[in-house]
Amino acid sequence: APGKWYCDFLIRLLKVLQKIADFVITCENFLIKAIIELDDVSHIGREQQDAERDQFLKTAGYKVIRYKQ
């Protein structure tokens, strides 16, 4: 049976996969170089969720750039 860490990982992964990034920068062979997020008023009150998502993406090896408006 999978361990708790694996179940936690899958839950976080599924939450991230449900999201859409504002922009994704890729190199010519479509490997992801960076994920761009534009924080407008829809992000007010979602700072904790944004931070968790950023940390998850960074742990997965992606660079996350946020622009606050």
Side-chain angles (χ1 to χ4, degrees), residues 2-3 5 7-8 10 12 16 19-20 24 26 28-30 37-38 43-47 54 58-60 62-63 66:
W5 69 270
C7 292
D8 290 344
L10 285 179
R12 288 188 316 191
V16 168
K19 308 295 182 200
I20 297 173
V24 176
T26 66
E28 54 197 35
N29 61 355
F30 297 104
E37 286 291 334
L38 305 176
H43 288 261
I44 294 173
R46 298 186 44 84
E47 293 83 5
D54 289 354
K58 288 176 185 176
T59 301
Y62 298 111
K63 180 177 182 175
R66 283 195 176 272

Side-chain angles (χ1 to χ4, degrees), residues 20-49:
I20 297 173
D22 291 308
F23 295 95
V24 176
I25 299 173
T26 66
C27 58
E28 54 197 35
N29 61 355
F30 297 104
L31 292 176
I32 296 173
K33 299 301 258 177
I35 298 168
I36 309 294
E37 286 291 334
L38 305 176
D39 289 356
D40 59 7
V41 296
S42 69
H43 288 261
I44 294 173
R46 298 186 44 84
E47 293 83 5
Q48 181 64 34
Q49 291 95 329

